[in-house]
Amino acid sequence: MQQATLAGGLIGNSAIGALVDQQANVVWACLPRFDADPVFCSLLSPPGREEGEGCFSILLADFAHAEQQYIDHTAVLRTWLHDKHGGCVEVVDFAPRFRLHGRIFHPTMLVRRVRKVAGNPRISIRLKPRFEYGAQSPTITFGSHHIRYVGPESVLRLTTNLSIHAVLEERPMYVHDTLSLILGPDETVQENVEEVARKFLEDTTDYWQDWVRTIFVPVDWQDEVIRAAITLKLNAFDDTGAIIAAMTTSVPEHPDSGRNWDYRYCWLRDAYFVVNALNRLGATTTMERYIAYILNVVAAAGEGQLQPVYGISGEADLVEGKAPALAGYRGMGPVRVGNQAYEQIQHDVYGSAVLAATHMFFDTRLRHRGDENLFRQLEPLGHKALANYNQPDAGIWELRGSKRVHTYSSVLCWAACDRLARIAAKLRLPESENFWREAADRIHADICAHAWNSQRRAFVTFWGGDVLDASLLLMHEFGFLEADDPRFAQTVAAIEGELKHGDFIYRYVERDDFGRPENAFLVCTFWYVYALHALGRIDEAQKCFANLLGCCNELGLLAEDIDPRTHEQWGNFVQTYSMVGLVNCALRLSPPWEQAY
């Protein structure tokens, strides 16, 4: 097996997701949902125990090289494997998603199809799922056309038109006809396997291409934006409306850093950025589902503190532990399951929740419009924001060792009150409008008095402090500062002087619980592009955005972090934060359609 990288592609159907590397190995897939047991986990378990453990591979004899790309405007991935003798096979990977009987059909199923392209290629199939986070091998049973992989709590069934014994024995075979492999729950595939796989492929391809035709794209960077939009949709869990931060856990932010976190959960902050970007593209259904999710979360919290992160079914307890059977990405453990951030206090969550719901009151395209009843459901979030805007918390960067009154959190509390005032005005509720406008103005004045550092001539990370962080670049984005407010330009200039290293903006440069950050958090540089655009520094914004696009892997995907020296990607993958940044920058920097012709 090759060294683990973040160079492959993501397939999925908004119920499950899988990572396929450049040689058509499924190296990561959690079944039966995003946060479940990673039955394919070789991304985090380099070869050592046994070759290919935790992987689903199509192995080409005498392999020479590979190519990979998506079918245009879909989540269907094609990999061409070439051998040393001129032989070639095409591997097509996808998770079915299409409309059936008036609703979306998205089973917990991966489909792989292999066909000969040239020569006389020989392949073997290596299917070795693991259970209990890599700790246990399955018990295997089989029938005439299927193999069952039995774990402690679940069973996977492979149905195929290949020789069952060839799969079990990993015996090489020539590829003559199209070979189909359907891996899913322990259910019988009643029809011809090849016909089912072919039909699922056609319908899934049609679904994604039809979906893409419904979204708005800018004049420039259309392919990049479409790939980002599809990727964001793949990270949205249809069943509940939750949006996960990334498909993976414990890919370190930089080598041997210990900054290994489980991102397979729904951060209210990250999810707001995702639904906001998708809404700008016209993909409104994801936002409506998320609003339903967050209202259920708020109701469950009652009078208690709103958490920064929840499970994809709204679970509150995400107890953090370790998976000792997995060595980690390139052996760089630990592999964490759960996330301690659920215990943290992060006051920006109130603004994130209200901002997401605000669309419901102003976007006339939505099926369910915001009304006074929804407004009254949101008001308790505003009261929480008003009570906590000047209280210490862990902040946007989830510091585990200290609490401060973070400026970003305060600004988001202001945003909660500001948007409630705007919603009340829209609904013609003058008493509520006056209350929330006065509250927002009071918070605004307090932030300006305590978070502005006159010596640094900039807003700073926490009240009364003198250090900077990249979240301050968003003060205009949320409407807290106008673009022509000199304090905004001065803050951006200060960030350039302290946090800009080469072509990238660091989130901060101070030591934290794990030392100094070595790699750049990609979304921060996207935020810098937003700020440059707002300040009218368009040429600089264009150049910076071009550099960021050059950081994408060959399939147009981004992880969380980037090594500013080598441009190698690090951190959990695919990272929704980063893909949102790409979408928002393209929408800002592209010329209007009227200038396209």
Side-chain angles (χ1 to χ4, degrees), residues 215-252:
I215 66 174
F216 170 81
V217 294
V219 173
D220 294 336
W221 308 294
Q222 292 183 31
D223 290 339
E224 292 87 347
V225 169
I226 289 169
R227 179 54 47 207
I230 291 173
T231 303
L232 293 176
K233 187 168 179 62
L234 292 180
N235 281 267
F237 188 53
D238 265 4
D239 184 61
T240 65
I243 298 169
I244 60 172
M247 286 285 173
T248 60
T249 176
S250 302
V251 181

Coordinates of all heavy atoms in Angstrom, one line a residue, residues 215-252:
I215 N -28.6 25.2 -9.5 CA -27.8 26.1 -8.6 C -27.3 27.3 -9.4 O -27.0 27.1 -10.6 CB -26.7 25.4 -7.8 CG1 -25.6 24.9 -8.7 CG2 -27.3 24.3 -6.9 CD1 -24.4 24.4 -7.9
F216 N -27.0 28.4 -8.8 CA -26.4 29.5 -9.4 C -24.9 29.4 -9.3 O -24.3 29.0 -8.3 CB -26.8 30.8 -8.6 CG -26.0 32.0 -9.1 CD1 -26.3 32.7 -10.2 CD2 -24.9 32.4 -8.4 CE1 -25.5 33.8 -10.7 CE2 -24.1 33.5 -8.8 CZ -24.4 34.2 -9.9
V217 N -24.2 29.7 -10.4 CA -22.8 29.6 -10.4 C -22.3 31.0 -11.0 O -22.9 31.6 -11.8 CB -22.2 28.5 -11.3 CG1 -22.5 27.1 -10.6 CG2 -22.7 28.5 -12.7
P218 N -21.1 31.4 -10.6 CA -20.5 32.6 -11.1 C -20.0 32.4 -12.5 O -19.8 31.3 -13.0 CB -19.4 33.0 -10.1 CG -19.0 31.6 -9.6 CD -20.2 30.8 -9.6
V219 N -19.6 33.5 -13.2 CA -19.1 33.4 -14.5 C -17.7 32.7 -14.5 O -17.5 31.8 -15.3 CB -18.9 34.9 -15.1 CG1 -18.1 34.8 -16.4 CG2 -20.3 35.5 -15.3
D220 N -16.9 33.1 -13.6 CA -15.6 32.5 -13.5 C -15.6 31.4 -12.5 O -16.4 31.4 -11.6 CB -14.5 33.6 -13.1 CG -14.3 34.6 -14.2 OD1 -14.6 34.3 -15.3 OD2 -13.9 35.7 -13.8
W221 N -14.7 30.4 -12.6 CA -14.4 29.3 -11.7 C -15.7 28.5 -11.5 O -16.0 28.0 -10.4 CB -14.0 29.9 -10.3 CG -12.8 30.8 -10.4 CD1 -11.5 30.5 -10.9 CD2 -12.8 32.2 -10.1 NE1 -10.8 31.6 -10.8 CE2 -11.5 32.7 -10.4 CE3 -13.8 33.1 -9.7 CZ2 -11.1 34.0 -10.2 CZ3 -13.4 34.4 -9.5 CH2 -12.1 34.9 -9.7
Q222 N -16.4 28.2 -12.6 CA -17.6 27.5 -12.5 C -17.4 26.0 -12.0 O -18.1 25.5 -11.1 CB -18.4 27.5 -13.8 CG -18.9 28.8 -14.2 CD -19.7 28.8 -15.5 OE1 -20.4 27.8 -15.8 NE2 -19.7 29.9 -16.2
D223 N -16.4 25.4 -12.6 CA -16.1 24.0 -12.3 C -15.7 23.9 -10.8 O -16.1 23.0 -10.1 CB -15.0 23.4 -13.2 CG -15.5 23.2 -14.6 OD1 -16.8 23.1 -14.8 OD2 -14.7 23.1 -15.5
E224 N -14.9 24.8 -10.3 CA -14.4 24.8 -9.0 C -15.6 25.0 -8.0 O -15.7 24.3 -7.0 CB -13.4 25.9 -8.7 CG -12.0 25.6 -9.5 CD -12.0 26.2 -10.9 OE1 -13.1 26.5 -11.4 OE2 -10.9 26.2 -11.5
V225 N -16.5 25.9 -8.3 CA -17.6 26.2 -7.4 C -18.6 25.0 -7.4 O -19.1 24.6 -6.4 CB -18.3 27.5 -7.9 CG1 -19.7 27.6 -7.2 CG2 -17.5 28.7 -7.6
I226 N -18.8 24.4 -8.6 CA -19.7 23.2 -8.7 C -19.1 22.1 -7.8 O -19.9 21.4 -7.1 CB -19.9 22.8 -10.1 CG1 -20.8 23.8 -10.8 CG2 -20.5 21.4 -10.2 CD1 -20.9 23.7 -12.3
R227 N -17.8 21.8 -7.9 CA -17.2 20.8 -7.1 C -17.4 21.1 -5.6 O -17.7 20.2 -4.8 CB -15.7 20.6 -7.5 CG -15.0 19.5 -6.7 CD -15.7 18.2 -6.8 NE -16.0 17.8 -8.2 CZ -17.0 17.0 -8.5 NH1 -17.8 16.5 -7.5 NH2 -17.3 16.7 -9.7
A228 N -17.2 22.3 -5.3 CA -17.3 22.7 -3.9 C -18.7 22.5 -3.4 O -19.0 22.0 -2.3 CB -16.8 24.1 -3.7
A229 N -19.7 22.9 -4.2 CA -21.1 22.8 -3.9 C -21.5 21.4 -3.7 O -22.2 21.0 -2.7 CB -22.0 23.5 -4.9
I230 N -21.1 20.5 -4.6 CA -21.4 19.1 -4.4 C -20.8 18.5 -3.1 O -21.4 17.8 -2.4 CB -20.9 18.3 -5.6 CG1 -21.8 18.6 -6.9 CG2 -21.0 16.8 -5.4 CD1 -21.2 18.0 -8.2
T231 N -19.6 18.9 -2.9 CA -18.9 18.4 -1.7 C -19.6 18.9 -0.4 O -19.7 18.1 0.5 CB -17.4 18.9 -1.7 OG1 -16.8 18.5 -2.9 CG2 -16.6 18.4 -0.5
L232 N -20.0 20.1 -0.4 CA -20.7 20.6 0.8 C -22.0 19.8 1.0 O -22.4 19.5 2.1 CB -21.0 22.1 0.7 CG -19.8 23.0 0.7 CD1 -20.2 24.5 0.4 CD2 -19.1 22.9 2.0
K233 N -22.7 19.5 -0.1 CA -24.0 18.8 0.0 C -23.7 17.4 0.5 O -24.5 16.8 1.3 CB -24.7 18.7 -1.3 CG -26.1 18.1 -1.2 CD -26.9 18.3 -2.5 CE -28.2 17.7 -2.4 NZ -29.1 18.2 -1.3
L234 N -22.6 16.8 0.1 CA -22.2 15.4 0.6 C -22.0 15.4 2.1 O -22.1 14.4 2.7 CB -21.0 14.9 -0.1 CG -21.1 14.7 -1.6 CD1 -19.8 14.2 -2.2 CD2 -22.2 13.6 -1.9
N235 N -21.6 16.5 2.7 CA -21.4 16.6 4.1 C -22.6 16.9 4.9 O -22.6 17.1 6.2 CB -20.3 17.6 4.4 CG -18.9 17.1 4.2 OD1 -18.2 16.6 5.0 ND2 -18.5 17.2 2.9
A236 N -23.8 17.1 4.3 CA -25.0 17.3 4.9 C -25.8 16.0 5.1 O -26.0 15.3 4.1 CB -25.9 18.3 4.1
F237 N -26.2 15.7 6.3 CA -26.8 14.4 6.7 C -28.3 14.6 6.4 O -29.0 15.2 7.2 CB -26.5 14.1 8.1 CG -27.0 12.7 8.5 CD1 -26.6 11.6 7.8 CD2 -27.7 12.5 9.7 CE1 -27.0 10.3 8.2 CE2 -28.1 11.2 10.1 CZ -27.8 10.1 9.3
D238 N -28.8 14.0 5.3 CA -30.2 14.2 5.0 C -31.2 13.9 6.0 O -32.2 14.5 6.2 CB -30.5 13.4 3.7 CG -30.4 14.2 2.4 OD1 -30.0 15.4 2.5 OD2 -30.7 13.7 1.3
D239 N -30.9 12.8 6.8 CA -31.9 12.3 7.7 C -32.3 13.3 8.8 O -33.5 13.3 9.2 CB -31.4 11.0 8.3 CG -32.4 10.3 9.2 OD1 -33.4 9.9 8.7 OD2 -32.1 10.2 10.5
T240 N -31.3 14.1 9.3 CA -31.6 15.0 10.4 C -31.4 16.5 10.0 O -31.9 17.3 10.7 CB -30.8 14.7 11.6 OG1 -29.4 15.0 11.3 CG2 -30.9 13.3 12.0
G241 N -30.7 16.7 8.9 CA -30.3 18.1 8.6 C -29.0 18.5 9.1 O -28.5 19.7 8.8
A242 N -28.3 17.7 9.9 CA -27.0 18.1 10.5 C -26.0 18.2 9.3 O -26.1 17.5 8.3 CB -26.6 17.1 11.5
I243 N -25.0 19.1 9.6 CA -23.9 19.2 8.6 C -22.6 19.0 9.3 O -22.3 19.7 10.3 CB -23.9 20.6 8.0 CG1 -25.2 20.9 7.2 CG2 -22.7 20.8 7.0 CD1 -25.4 22.3 6.8
I244 N -21.8 18.0 8.9 CA -20.6 17.7 9.6 C -19.5 18.6 9.1 O -19.5 19.1 8.0 CB -20.2 16.2 9.4 CG1 -20.0 15.8 8.0 CG2 -21.2 15.3 10.1 CD1 -19.4 14.5 7.8
A245 N -18.5 18.8 9.9 CA -17.3 19.6 9.6 C -16.4 19.0 8.6 O -15.8 19.6 7.7 CB -16.5 20.0 10.8
A246 N -16.2 17.6 8.7 CA -15.4 16.9 7.8 C -15.8 15.4 7.9 O -16.4 15.0 8.9 CB -13.9 17.1 8.0
M247 N -15.3 14.6 6.9 CA -15.7 13.2 6.9 C -14.8 12.4 7.9 O -15.1 11.2 8.2 CB -15.5 12.6 5.5 CG -16.6 13.0 4.6 SD -18.1 12.1 4.9 CE -19.3 12.9 3.8
T248 N -13.6 12.9 8.3 CA -12.6 12.1 8.9 C -12.4 12.6 10.4 O -12.9 13.6 10.8 CB -11.3 12.3 8.2 OG1 -10.9 13.6 8.2 CG2 -11.4 11.7 6.8
T249 N -11.6 11.7 11.1 CA -11.1 12.1 12.4 C -9.6 12.0 12.4 O -9.0 11.1 11.7 CB -11.7 11.2 13.5 OG1 -11.1 11.5 14.7 CG2 -11.5 9.7 13.2
S250 N -9.0 12.8 13.1 CA -7.6 12.6 13.6 C -6.5 12.7 12.5 O -5.4 12.3 12.7 CB -7.4 11.3 14.3 OG -8.3 11.2 15.4
V251 N -6.8 13.3 11.4 CA -5.8 13.7 10.4 C -5.1 14.9 11.0 O -5.8 16.0 11.2 CB -6.3 14.0 9.0 CG1 -5.1 14.4 8.1 CG2 -7.1 12.8 8.5
P252 N -3.8 14.9 11.4 CA -3.2 16.0 12.2 C -3.1 17.3 11.4 O -3.0 17.3 10.2 CB -1.9 15.4 12.6 CG -1.6 14.4 11.6 CD -2.9 13.8 11.2

